[in-house]
Amino acid sequence: MSTCQTPHPAAEPAPKAAVAAAPFASCPSAILAHLAKPETAVVFDVDGVLARYEFGSLQHAAAVEGDWEAYVRENDPYRNVPPAPVLQRFIAAKDPSKVFACSVAAEYEKAGKRDFVLRHYAIPAENVLMVPSKDQKIAVLAQIAQGQGLDPLQVALVEDTVKTLDAAAAQGFATCHVSSFLAW
C-alpha cells in the first residue's frame, strides 16, 4: 500500500485525526505534506474543487449554451452536486481556523455555494468567503496571512484554474492544483 492510500477498511479504527492527517503528512507529494502541516492555512475554491464539476446529466455542465443565472435560479445546482470525499477527510483533520473556502460568485449563486460548503465540509461559516472576481482571491489570501500572522507560503490555495494558481504563486503563496489530491 502506498503511503498516499487510505488504510484498509478492515484495519482497527484509529482516531479521526490520525486516519485523515497521517497519510497526507507522509504522502510523497511535497505540497500535500505542506498543506497537512498544522500551521498552514488552506483556502479551497468551490467549483471544480469542493464541489465536483458535475452539473449536467452525463456532462460536466448543465447550461453549456444556456443561461447559467436562469439555470441556477430554477435548479439550485449546489443542492445536488456531490462533495469530494478526499477533501472532506483532509478538511476534517485540519484545525477549522486554518481552513477556508473562497469562490467567485454572483449574487444569485452565493447562498447555494455557501450552503453547499457548510452542509458538506467542516469549514466554519465565517471562513466561507465569496468574492466578485478571481483577482479578489489573491486579496483574500493576503488578508488570511495578515490576520493569522502567517508568512505567505503558510497560506495555500487549492484551485482548479491554473491562471489563478499562477497569480497566487506570483505573490508568494503556496499553491496546489486540486489534481494533486488524486495521489491520495
Side-chain angles (χ1 to χ4, degrees), residues 129-164:
L129 311 166
M130 300 296 156
V131 294
S133 68
K134 290 211 177 253
D135 296 341
Q136 291 298 308
K137 282 189 179 183
I138 309 310
V140 165
L141 299 176
Q143 290 168 357
I144 292 168
Q146 183 179 28
Q148 295 201 4
L150 299 172
D151 181 74
L153 279 176
Q154 291 177 301
V155 178
L157 177 63
V158 179
E159 172 68 72
D160 62 324
T161 304
V162 174
K163 185 177 178 181
T164 306

Side-chain angles (χ1 to χ4, degrees), residues 12-32:
E12 186 165 322
K16 179 175 113 177
V19 170
F24 286 102
S26 64
C27 183
S29 165
I31 187 61
L32 290 183

Side-chain angles (χ1 to χ4, degrees), residues 4-5 24 27 29 32 86-87 176-184:
C4 285
Q5 294 177 341
F24 286 102
C27 183
S29 165
L32 290 183
V86 67
L87 297 180
C176 176
H177 191 276
V178 67
S179 63
S180 292
F181 280 90
L182 296 174
W184 193 68

Side-chain angles (χ1 to χ4, degrees), residues 56-164:
S57 175
L58 302 180
Q59 296 179 336
H60 71 287
V64 177
E65 296 195 25
D67 181 352
W68 177 246
E69 180 176 353
Y71 180 79
V72 169
R73 290 184 186 280
E74 292 169 17
N75 297 287
D76 188 13
Y78 297 97
R79 182 186 63 234
N80 296 317
V81 70
V86 67
L87 297 180
Q88 288 176 311
R89 290 189 300 273
F90 179 85
I91 290 167
K94 290 284 291 181
D95 173 349
S97 71
K98 297 289 188 183
V99 183
F100 298 81
C102 183
S103 184
V104 173
E107 202 57 46
Y108 63 88
E109 296 175 298
K110 287 180 182 179
K113 285 187 181 193
R114 181 179 182 78
D115 291 348
F116 166 82
V117 172
L118 295 175
R119 185 170 53 251
H120 292 292
Y121 295 95
I123 300 176
E126 63 272 15
N127 290 2
V128 180
L129 311 166
M130 300 296 156
V131 294
S133 68
K134 290 211 177 253
D135 296 341
Q136 291 298 308
K137 282 189 179 183
I138 309 310
V140 165
L141 299 176
Q143 290 168 357
I144 292 168
Q146 183 179 28
Q148 295 201 4
L150 299 172
D151 181 74
L153 279 176
Q154 291 177 301
V155 178
L157 177 63
V158 179
E159 172 68 72
D160 62 324
T161 304
V162 174
K163 185 177 178 181
T164 306

